[in-house]
Amino acid sequence: MVKMAEQTTLESLLEMGFERNRAEKAVAKTGNQGIEQAMDWLMEHENDPDIDEPYVPPVGNVLGGAADGQSTAEQPTLADTAEGDGSNNNSEESENKSMSEEERLEQVKRLEELMRVKQAERREREREEELEREKQRRKQGQELQQIRQKLQDDDMKKLADQRRREKMEDKLARQRVKEKIARDREERAQKFGGGGTPSAAASSQPAQPSPSSPTSHGPPPTKKEYDESRIQVRLLDGSTITTAFKAQEPLAAVRVYVQMNSNTPEGQDISLLSPYPRHEYTELDMEKPLKELGLVPSAVLVVTKK
């Protein structure tokens, strides 16, 4: 009966189109528990790399071998009844064969339908698994994109903070320059305002000729010392600005004043030059006083781009 069951399962698998090697493996691997278990094993292992390798059954476990050995061992003990039993077995075997043929056809139909159902279930399961994997990939992609966006936002925020600090520092530096210029102007105003009264009083008195010797015989006039310079600057757009600086102020103060009081683009480096005679001032000249550069008591300068 074991051999018949094995052969029925094996034959059913072969009739359903499975290769003999795979069918024999399925029957052996499932312990001949039935056609459904064998089909499940085949569908689960159809992608195994060794599925098509020749099947070698273990020694003493050949399909139907145990049953054949047992029947052979029993034959000597049943020799006296072999004739009568043989005729009965032949009739019973033919009856079982005819019945198993009908049942096998019905079983094949049922198993084919079962296989279609299982294949459909498997395809549906694989489709759901693929959808789940796609969801995971999309989720990971979104998380990665969020991380990249956060890093980019952090970099932009740091850059904006840095620019804000630089602008604030530049604003404070300009404010300090403006305050210095304002203090210098106030000092000049106080200085000239305090010394203006005696001059005005002296000028209000009528000039009287000196009774001494004529001016032609007097000492030569001394050279007047100027302590400020009136600077006129021609800007890049052709307009001009004019202001006064102390004679000992460096030329850099004039450049800063131009940058603060003109429409020069922010961050634009400029140079100053004298048109007559033409002379372009260097960075070393920017540290020299106006008096030393010959720009006292007045001068005209031209702004140029570096």
Side-chain angles (χ1 to χ4, degrees), residues 1 7 23 28 38 58 114 117 119 161 189 244-245 254-255 271 278 280 297:
M1 294 299 291
Q7 293 299 326
L114 179 62
V117 171
Q119 288 176 345
D161 292 341
F245 296 89
V254 179
R255 183 170 63 179
S271 297
R278 184 178 178 84
E280 185 172 356

Side-chain angles (χ1 to χ4, degrees), residues 160-276:
D161 292 341
Q162 182 179 356
R163 290 181 177 176
R164 193 178 300 110
R165 287 194 301 270
E166 290 176 353
K167 287 184 178 180
M168 181 60 68
E169 292 173 358
D170 185 61
K171 182 178 180 181
L172 293 175
R174 291 175 179 270
Q175 184 65 30
R176 287 193 294 269
V177 172
K178 287 183 178 180
E179 292 174 355
K180 183 177 182 302
I181 293 175
R183 287 195 301 270
D184 293 342
R185 287 180 177 176
E186 185 178 355
E187 291 176 1
R188 286 197 297 269
Q190 291 177 355
K191 180 178 180 180
F192 290 107
T197 303
S199 300
S203 61
S204 64
Q205 297 177 359
Q208 296 181 357
S210 174
S212 61
S213 60
T215 58
S216 58
H217 298 98
T222 59
K223 186 177 180 180
K224 184 177 180 179
E225 292 292 333
Y226 296 93
D227 57 357
E228 75 169 4
S229 175
R230 186 174 182 82
I231 305 294
Q232 182 183 33
V233 182
R234 189 169 64 203
L235 305 177
L236 294 173
D237 58 0
S239 61
T240 60
I241 55 176
T242 304
T243 188
F245 296 89
K246 288 184 177 181
Q248 296 300 324
E249 285 190 83
L251 183 59
V254 179
R255 183 170 63 179
V256 171
Y257 179 82
V258 171
Q259 290 175 335
M260 299 293 297
N261 295 275
S262 67
N263 55 359
T264 304
E266 184 176 353
Q268 174 71 54
D269 291 334
I270 61 173
S271 297
L272 299 175
L273 62 84
S274 295
Y276 305 107

